[in-house]
Coordinates of all heavy atoms in Angstrom, one line a residue:
Chain B
R960 N -15.3 5.3 7.4 CA -14.9 4.0 7.2 C -15.7 3.3 6.1 O -15.3 2.5 5.3 CB -15.1 3.1 8.4 CG -14.2 3.5 9.6 CD -12.7 3.3 9.3 NE -12.4 2.0 8.7 CZ -12.0 1.0 9.6 NH1 -11.9 1.3 10.9 NH2 -11.6 -0.2 9.3
Y961 N -17.0 3.7 6.0 CA -17.9 3.2 4.9 C -18.7 4.4 4.4 O -19.2 5.2 5.2 CB -18.9 2.2 5.5 CG -18.3 1.0 6.2 CD1 -18.0 0.9 7.5 CD2 -18.0 -0.1 5.4 CE1 -17.4 -0.1 8.1 CE2 -17.2 -1.2 5.9 CZ -17.0 -1.2 7.2 OH -16.3 -2.3 7.9
L962 N -19.0 4.3 3.0 CA -19.7 5.3 2.5 C -20.6 4.8 1.3 O -20.0 4.0 0.5 CB -18.7 6.4 1.8 CG -19.0 7.8 1.7 CD1 -19.6 8.4 3.1 CD2 -17.8 8.6 1.3
V963 N -21.8 5.2 1.1 CA -22.7 4.7 0.1 C -23.2 6.0 -0.6 O -23.7 6.9 0.0 CB -23.8 3.9 0.6 CG1 -24.7 3.4 -0.6 CG2 -23.4 2.7 1.4
K964 N -22.9 6.1 -2.0 CA -23.3 7.2 -2.7 C -24.0 6.6 -4.0 O -24.0 5.4 -4.4 CB -22.1 8.0 -3.0 CG -21.4 8.7 -2.0 CD -22.1 9.7 -1.3 CE -21.5 10.5 -0.2 NZ -22.3 11.4 0.4
R965 N -24.6 7.6 -4.7 CA -25.4 7.3 -6.0 C -24.5 7.7 -7.2 O -23.8 8.6 -7.2 CB -26.7 8.0 -5.9 CG -27.6 7.5 -4.7 CD -29.1 7.3 -5.2 NE -29.9 6.7 -4.2 CZ -30.1 5.3 -4.2 NH1 -29.6 4.6 -5.2 NH2 -30.7 4.8 -3.2
T966 N -24.8 6.9 -8.2 CA -24.2 7.3 -9.6 C -24.4 8.7 -9.9 O -25.5 9.2 -9.8 CB -24.7 6.4 -10.6 OG1 -24.6 5.1 -10.3 CG2 -24.0 6.6 -11.9
G967 N -23.3 9.5 -10.3 CA -23.4 10.9 -10.8 C -23.2 11.8 -9.6 O -23.0 13.0 -9.8
E968 N -23.1 11.4 -8.4 CA -22.9 12.3 -7.3 C -21.4 12.7 -7.3 O -20.6 12.0 -7.8 CB -23.2 11.6 -5.9 CG -24.6 11.6 -5.5 CD -24.8 11.1 -4.0 OE1 -24.4 12.0 -3.2 OE2 -25.4 10.1 -3.8
K969 N -21.2 13.9 -6.7 CA -19.8 14.3 -6.5 C -19.4 13.7 -5.0 O -20.1 14.1 -4.1 CB -19.6 15.7 -6.6 CG -18.2 16.3 -6.5 CD -18.1 17.8 -6.9 CE -16.8 18.3 -7.0 NZ -16.6 19.6 -7.4
V970 N -18.3 13.1 -5.0 CA -18.0 12.4 -3.6 C -16.6 12.9 -3.2 O -15.6 13.1 -3.9 CB -17.8 10.9 -3.8 CG1 -17.5 10.1 -2.5 CG2 -19.2 10.3 -4.4
F971 N -16.5 13.2 -1.9 CA -15.3 13.7 -1.3 C -14.9 12.7 -0.3 O -15.6 12.4 0.7 CB -15.5 15.1 -0.6 CG -15.7 16.2 -1.5 CD1 -17.1 16.4 -2.0 CD2 -14.8 17.0 -2.0 CE1 -17.3 17.5 -2.8 CE2 -15.0 18.1 -2.9 CZ -16.4 18.4 -3.3
L972 N -13.5 12.2 -0.4 CA -13.0 11.4 0.7 C -11.7 12.2 1.2 O -11.0 12.8 0.5 CB -12.3 10.1 0.0 CG -13.4 9.2 -0.7 CD1 -12.7 8.0 -1.1 CD2 -14.5 8.9 0.1
E973 N -11.9 12.2 2.6 CA -10.9 13.1 3.4 C -9.8 12.3 4.0 O -10.1 11.3 4.6 CB -11.6 14.0 4.3 CG -12.8 14.8 3.7 CD -12.2 16.0 2.9 OE1 -11.1 16.3 2.9 OE2 -13.1 16.5 2.0
C974 N -8.7 12.9 4.1 CA -7.6 12.2 4.8 C -6.7 13.3 5.5 O -6.4 14.2 5.0 CB -6.7 11.5 3.8 SG -5.2 10.7 4.5
V975 N -6.4 12.9 6.8 CA -5.6 13.9 7.6 C -4.4 13.0 8.3 O -4.7 11.9 8.7 CB -6.4 14.5 8.7 CG1 -5.5 15.3 9.5 CG2 -7.6 15.3 8.1
Q976 N -3.3 13.6 8.2 CA -2.1 13.0 9.0 C -1.5 13.9 9.9 O -1.5 15.3 9.7 CB -1.0 12.6 7.8 CG -0.6 13.6 6.9 CD 0.7 14.4 7.3 OE1 1.3 14.1 8.2 NE2 1.0 15.2 6.4
D977 N -1.0 13.4 11.0 CA -0.5 14.2 12.1 C 1.0 14.3 12.3 O 1.4 14.7 13.3 CB -1.3 13.8 13.4 CG -0.7 12.3 13.8 OD1 0.1 11.8 13.0 OD2 -1.0 11.9 14.8
M978 N 1.7 13.9 11.1 CA 3.2 13.9 11.4 C 3.9 15.0 10.5 O 5.1 14.8 10.3 CB 3.7 12.6 11.2 CG 3.4 11.5 12.2 SD 4.1 12.1 13.8 CE 5.8 11.9 13.6
D979 N 3.3 15.9 10.0 CA 3.8 16.9 9.1 C 4.7 16.3 8.0 O 5.6 16.8 7.5 CB 4.9 17.7 10.0 CG 5.1 19.1 9.4 OD1 4.2 19.7 9.0 OD2 6.3 19.6 9.5
H980 N 4.1 15.2 7.5 CA 4.7 14.6 6.3 C 4.5 15.5 5.0 O 3.5 16.0 4.8 CB 4.1 13.2 6.0 CG 4.6 12.2 7.0 ND1 4.1 10.8 7.1 CD2 5.6 12.2 7.9 CE1 4.6 10.2 8.0 NE2 5.6 11.0 8.6
E981 N 5.5 15.5 4.1 CA 5.5 16.2 2.8 C 4.6 15.5 1.9 O 3.8 16.1 1.1 CB 6.8 16.4 2.3 CG 7.8 17.2 3.2 CD 9.1 17.0 2.8 OE1 9.5 16.1 2.0 OE2 10.0 17.7 3.3
N982 N 4.7 14.1 1.8 CA 4.1 13.3 0.8 C 2.8 12.7 1.2 O 2.7 12.1 2.3 CB 5.1 12.3 0.3 CG 6.4 13.0 -0.1 OD1 6.4 13.6 -1.1 ND2 7.4 12.8 0.7
M983 N 1.8 12.7 0.4 CA 0.5 12.0 0.7 C 0.0 11.4 -0.6 O 0.3 11.8 -1.7 CB -0.5 13.0 1.3 CG -0.1 13.6 2.5 SD -1.4 14.5 3.5 CE -2.6 13.2 4.0
F984 N -0.7 10.3 -0.4 CA -1.1 9.4 -1.5 C -2.6 9.0 -1.3 O -3.1 8.8 -0.2 CB -0.2 8.2 -1.5 CG 1.3 8.4 -1.4 CD1 1.8 8.7 -0.2 CD2 2.0 8.4 -2.6 CE1 3.2 9.1 -0.2 CE2 3.4 8.7 -2.5 CZ 4.0 9.0 -1.3
W985 N -3.2 8.7 -2.5 CA -4.5 8.0 -2.6 C -4.3 6.8 -3.4 O -3.9 6.8 -4.6 CB -5.6 8.8 -3.1 CG -6.2 9.8 -2.1 CD1 -6.0 11.0 -1.9 CD2 -7.1 9.4 -1.0 NE1 -6.8 11.5 -0.9 CE2 -7.5 10.5 -0.3 CE3 -7.7 8.0 -0.7 CZ2 -8.4 10.5 0.8 CZ3 -8.6 8.0 0.4 CH2 -8.9 9.2 1.1
Y986 N -4.7 5.6 -2.9 CA -4.7 4.3 -3.6 C -6.1 3.8 -3.6 O -7.1 4.1 -2.7 CB -3.8 3.2 -2.9 CG -2.4 3.5 -2.8 CD1 -1.9 4.3 -1.8 CD2 -1.6 3.0 -3.9 CE1 -0.5 4.5 -1.8 CE2 -0.3 3.1 -3.8 CZ 0.3 3.9 -2.8 OH 1.7 4.1 -2.8
R987 N -6.5 2.9 -4.5 CA -7.6 2.0 -4.4 C -7.2 0.6 -4.4 O -6.2 0.3 -5.1 CB -8.7 2.3 -5.5 CG -8.3 2.0 -6.8 CD -9.5 2.4 -7.8 NE -10.4 1.2 -7.9 CZ -11.5 1.2 -8.5 NH1 -11.9 2.4 -9.4 NH2 -12.4 0.2 -8.5
Q988 N -7.9 -0.3 -3.6 CA -7.6 -1.6 -3.5 C -8.8 -2.5 -4.0 O -9.8 -2.3 -3.6 CB -7.2 -2.0 -2.0 CG -6.8 -3.5 -1.9 CD -6.8 -4.0 -0.5 OE1 -7.1 -3.2 0.5 NE2 -6.6 -5.3 -0.3
D989 N -8.4 -3.3 -5.0 CA -9.5 -4.2 -5.5 C -9.0 -5.6 -5.5 O -7.8 -5.9 -5.8 CB -9.8 -3.7 -7.0 CG -10.4 -2.3 -7.1 OD1 -11.5 -2.1 -6.6 OD2 -9.6 -1.4 -7.6

Side-chain angles (χ1 to χ4, degrees):
Chain B
R960 294 301 301 271
Y961 301 94
L962 212 50
V963 180
K964 296 290 181 181
R965 297 219 170 266
T966 305
E968 277 192 71
K969 190 168 185 175
V970 181
F971 293 84
L972 302 184
E973 306 288 344
C974 175
V975 176
Q976 50 97 0
D977 67 354
M978 286 302 291
D979 204 36
H980 285 172
E981 295 161 352
N982 306 288
M983 296 188 74
F984 308 83
W985 276 106
Y986 292 88
R987 60 179 284 177
Q988 181 194 356
D989 299 289

